[in-house]
Amino acid sequence: MPVTIGAKPAGDFSNPMELLSDCHRRIERFLAVLVKVAGQAQGGLMSAQQKEEWLRALEYFRTAAPRHTADEEESLFPRLRQIDRRQVQDVLAKVQELEHDHLQANDWHEKVDQLGRRWLADGTLPREDAEHLTEVLDQLTALYGRHLALEDESVFPLAESVLPAAEKSSIGVEMAQRRGLDPQRTLKQASELGAPLK
Ligand SMILES: [Fe+2]
Ligand SMILES: [Fe+2]
């Protein structure tokens, strides 16, 4: 059975831009879970199902989401910066904002994680903390709303069209390695699945 990231086969490492957008859908999904549970329970006792959903979403943002940030900051953005074209320079100005967003999102996720784990450990959250948690989740929702759209609509399509095939392949390899997967194996699976390297 192929190694998977989310619901997609590892063969998608041959198409890193698509994989990065898939990560965005997971960010949206898990953030929506946090918003939903925080709104339903409002710092009170959570049901067993709410606890399970909450824990899973916190875990996602603690472990998987930072790898997505690294995919962008360490694999994608530096390669875009090497392309000397006017069109790329315009988008690169926005990349600085995106990196700033990553820092801001990290801070907010740390706060959510801290309050979220305390909620699970204590069973309830003081009203002030519950309100602060909702506030931070609202801020994250607003940040991701514009951040993910900018990446999905501007940065990734541009990268797809301007980066040479070898660079895109290297991004896929680095993304696989970041997840502790064997890139040769995942890329071989990709070609066996009829998904040639781009
Ligand atoms: Fe990003
Ligand atoms: Fe992203």
Side-chain angles (χ1 to χ4, degrees), residues 20 23-24 27 68-69 72 77 102 147-148 151-152 156:
L20 287 169
C23 288
H24 287 179
I27 288 171
H68 174 75
T69 302
E72 292 174 348
F77 297 164
H102 289 165
H147 184 99
L148 303 185
E151 291 179 342
D152 285 331
F156 298 166

Side-chain angles (χ1 to χ4, degrees), residues 7-177:
K8 293 258 186 172
D12 283 0
F13 282 109
S14 66
N15 189 349
M17 297 315 143
E18 191 182 295
L19 202 57
L20 287 169
S21 271
D22 289 346
C23 288
H24 287 179
R25 305 294 79 81
R26 278 187 287 278
I27 288 171
E28 287 166 345
R29 228 172 35 234
F30 283 112
L31 185 62
V33 167
L34 293 177
V35 169
K36 181 190 78 174
V37 175
Q40 288 172 340
Q42 304 207 4
L45 289 172
M46 289 188 204
S47 68
Q49 193 192 333
Q50 285 171 331
K51 271 188 206 168
E52 198 186 313
E53 287 183 317
W54 185 259
L55 195 63
R56 215 169 146 233
L58 286 187
E59 172 80 9
Y60 172 79
F61 284 113
R62 203 164 47 239
T63 59
R67 289 196 287 263
H68 174 75
T69 302
D71 292 337
E72 292 174 348
E73 293 194 352
E74 295 168 27
S75 298
L76 176 61
F77 297 164
R79 286 183 170 88
L80 277 177
R81 287 193 169 104
Q82 284 172 3
I83 306 267
D84 187 20
R85 283 201 220 163
R86 175 69 206 218
Q87 187 191 11
V88 177
Q89 300 313 313
D90 290 346
V91 167
L92 283 179
K94 294 178 192 159
V95 164
Q96 264 190 326
E97 285 173 40
L98 292 173
E99 286 177 329
H100 181 264
D101 283 347
H102 289 165
L103 289 174
Q104 179 63 79
N106 277 351
D107 281 354
W108 283 336
H109 277 303
E110 265 179 41
K111 193 71 211 169
V112 169
D113 193 63
Q114 186 197 339
L115 289 170
R117 287 209 264 181
R118 193 189 306 159
W119 190 358
L120 282 175
D122 297 350
T124 59
L125 265 189
R127 199 168 113 188
E128 209 173 274
D129 284 341
E131 283 172 1
H132 185 45
L133 181 58
T134 302
E135 221 175 81
V136 179
L137 287 172
D138 286 346
Q139 286 169 310
L140 275 169
T141 303
L143 181 147
Y144 279 125
R146 59 178 171 73
H147 184 99
L148 303 185
L150 180 58
E151 291 179 342
D152 285 331
E153 290 160 23
S154 299
V155 180
F156 298 166
L158 179 75
E160 184 61 43
S161 74
V162 300
L163 287 179
E167 293 295 331
K168 282 188 269 187
S169 172
S170 298
I171 292 173
V173 166
E174 288 169 16
M175 287 173 71
Q177 286 170 333

Side-chain angles (χ1 to χ4, degrees), residues 181-195:
L181 302 172
D182 175 356
Q184 291 317 317
R185 200 165 150 244
T186 55
L187 292 174
K188 187 165 171 282
Q189 282 170 345
S191 69
E192 281 167 359
L193 287 167

